[in-house]
C-alpha cells in the first residue's frame, strides 16, 4: 500500500493481526485513477407495430383492437417518415451485424477498475453516437485533478473520441480497431505501457454490472416509457448495485477497532 498517514496506522493494525505489510513510498506510486466505460442496449416497452407513418389518417377500425394485424413486408420505414406511437423516445438499434433491430435505449456505465464499483450512469437515446457521448459526459464529471485512464472496447476507437479524452486529461485505453478505414486512433505512445494491457484485462468486469442490472434489476426488458422515467430507474438500479458491492467489500476488509 502507498505510504501515507492513514496507511501507517492501518499497517500497524494489520501487523498486530499477524499480516506482512509493506509500505511503498509515495514517489513510486503511479498517480492514476483507472476506469472503464461501456454501454448496452435496453429493450424498450414498445413493439415494432407502434412504428407508424406520421401522416397516417386511417379511420378504419382495426380487426383486433388489442393486437391488430400489421403487414410490414416490403415496407420502407425511417425516423423521417415514421414515429413511435407507444414510446417516442425509444429508437431502433441492433447489437451487431445480422441482428434484428429492436426499440431500445442506450444504458452506459462508468466503473472503477480496482473493485468493479459503478461510479456513474447515463441513459441516452440509442443512436450511433450514444455510447461515446455518454462516456465523455461521465468522464467529464470525475472529480479531482489526478490523471485518469479509461478502458473501452473497439467501438470507442475513433479519432474524435480519443482527442476529446485527451482534452479532458483522460488517457484513452481503448481496444485498437485496426480493421477500420484509417486504422486505429491509438499508437505505441499509449499501447506500449503495461497499464494499457491491464486496462484491457480489467474492462471486462463492467459486463458483470450489466449482467446484474439486466437479470436481477430486470432491465433486460424495460417496464417504463420515456427517457426521464427509464433514466431514473436505470440510475436507481445502478446505485443499488453499487451499495451491494460496497457492503461486500466491507465484509471482506479486516475489522479494525
Amino acid at each position: 500500500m502507498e505510504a501515507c498517514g492513514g496507511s501507517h496506522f492501518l499497517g500497524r493494525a494489520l501487523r498486530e493481526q499477524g499480516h506482512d505489510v509493506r509500505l511503498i513510498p509515495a514517489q513510486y506510486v503511479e498517480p492514476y485513477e483507472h476506469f472503464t466505460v461501456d454501454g448496452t442496449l435496453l429493450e424498450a416497452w414498445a413493439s415494432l407495430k407502434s412504428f407508424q407513418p406520421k401522416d397516417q389518417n386511417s379511420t378504419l377500425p382495426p380487426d383486433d383492437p388489442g393486437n391488430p394485424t400489421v403487414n410490414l413486408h416490403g415496407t420502407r420505414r425511417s425516423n423521417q417518415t415514421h414515429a413511435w406511437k407507444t414510446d417516442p423516445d425509444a429508437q431502433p438499434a441492433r447489437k451487431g451485424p445480422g441482428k434484428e433491430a429492436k426499440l431500445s435505449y442506450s444504458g452506459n456505465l462508468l466503473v472503477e477498475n480496482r473493485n468493479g464499483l459503478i461510479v456513474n450512469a447515463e441513459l441516452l437515446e440509442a443512436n450511433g453516437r450514444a455510447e461515446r457521448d455518454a462516456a465523455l459526459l461521465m468522464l467529464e464529471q470525475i472529480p479531482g485533478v489526478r490523471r485518469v485512464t479509461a478502458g473501452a472496447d473497439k467501438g470507442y476507437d475513433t479519432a474524435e473520441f480519443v482527442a476529446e479524452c485527451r482534452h479532458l486529461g483522460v488517457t484513452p485505453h481503448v481496444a485498437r480497431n485496426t480493421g477500420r478505414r484509417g486504422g486505429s486512433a491509438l499508437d505505441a505512445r499509449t499501447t506500449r505501457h503495461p497499464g494499457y494491457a491491464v486496462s484491457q484485462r480489467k474492462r471486462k468486469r463492467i459486463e458483470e454490472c450489466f449482467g446484474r442490472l439486466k437479470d436481477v434489476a430486470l432491465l433486460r426488458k424495460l417496464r417504463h416509457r420515456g427517457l426521464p422515467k427509464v433514466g431514473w430507474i436505470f440510475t436507481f438500479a445502478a446505485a443499488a448495485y453499487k451499495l451491494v458491492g460496497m457492503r461486500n467489500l466491507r465484509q471482506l476488509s479486516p475489522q479494525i477497532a
Side-chain angles (χ1 to χ4, degrees):
M1 65 180 66
E2 180 181 352
C4 62
S7 62
H8 280 284
F9 170 79
L10 181 61
R12 289 193 298 269
L14 292 175
R15 287 194 183 98
E16 292 176 358
Q17 297 182 4
H19 296 283
D20 182 19
V21 179
R22 298 182 181 182
L23 300 180
I24 303 175
Q27 60 267 30
Y28 296 110
V29 179
E30 187 178 12
Y32 275 79
E33 295 185 24
H34 307 281
F35 299 91
T36 295
V37 292
D38 201 0
T40 189
L41 293 178
L42 306 175
E43 187 177 352
W45 190 255
S47 68
L48 291 176
K49 290 184 178 180
S50 66
F51 195 39
Q52 302 176 6
K54 296 180 180 179
D55 56 353
Q56 184 179 20
N57 297 316
S58 176
T59 57
L60 297 176
D63 56 347
D64 184 354
N67 188 18
T69 302
V70 179
N71 185 10
L72 302 177
H73 183 72
T75 303
R76 296 183 63 87
R77 298 177 294 171
S78 68
N79 291 329
Q80 287 72 33
T81 60
H82 290 62
W84 305 102
K85 303 299 182 180
T86 306
D87 190 351
D89 292 335
Q91 298 294 328
R94 63 184 67 193
K95 291 186 177 181
K99 300 291 185 179
E100 71 279 9
K102 296 182 179 180
L103 288 177
S104 307
Y105 288 91
S106 177
N108 303 269
L109 296 177
L110 175 71
V111 174
E112 55 90 23
N113 291 350
R114 184 186 297 266
N115 298 306
L117 295 177
I118 297 176
V119 178
N120 204 344
E122 285 284 348
L123 186 119
L124 300 178
E125 292 185 356
N127 53 49
R129 298 177 51 90
E131 291 189 1
R132 295 189 294 272
D133 290 343
L136 293 174
L137 288 173
M138 295 185 291
L139 292 172
E140 189 178 10
Q141 298 174 29
I142 296 177
V145 296
R146 301 182 68 180
R147 293 285 299 181
V148 170
T149 68
D153 58 32
K154 292 182 179 180
Y156 296 81
D157 186 15
T158 65
E160 181 183 6
F161 179 78
V162 170
E164 288 294 332
C165 283
R166 288 172 175 162
H167 178 72
L168 294 174
V170 177
T171 302
H173 283 181
V174 301
R176 301 188 67 193
N177 186 6
T178 57
R180 72 177 180 88
R181 183 183 302 177
S184 174
L186 292 182
D187 52 30
R189 291 177 299 174
T190 301
T191 60
R192 65 185 175 88
H193 295 286
Y196 176 81
V198 175
S199 293
Q200 286 300 301
R201 187 172 66 252
K202 290 287 188 179
R203 72 177 177 86
K204 300 175 183 178
R205 301 186 66 179
I206 198 171
E207 300 298 337
E208 301 175 7
C209 301
F210 285 130
R212 291 283 184 170
L213 292 179
K214 289 184 176 182
D215 294 338
V216 179
L218 304 180
L219 295 184
R220 188 176 302 276
K221 178 74 172 182
L222 298 171
R223 271 74 174 173
H224 300 78
R225 295 177 182 145
L227 194 63
K229 287 186 178 180
V230 176
W232 179 87
I233 197 66
F234 180 71
T235 303
F236 179 81
Y241 178 76
K242 179 178 181 179
L243 290 175
V244 172
M246 294 174 63
R247 180 204 62 186
N248 295 338
L249 287 175
R250 184 177 179 85
Q251 293 175 351
L252 293 175
S253 62
Q255 301 295 326
I256 302 176

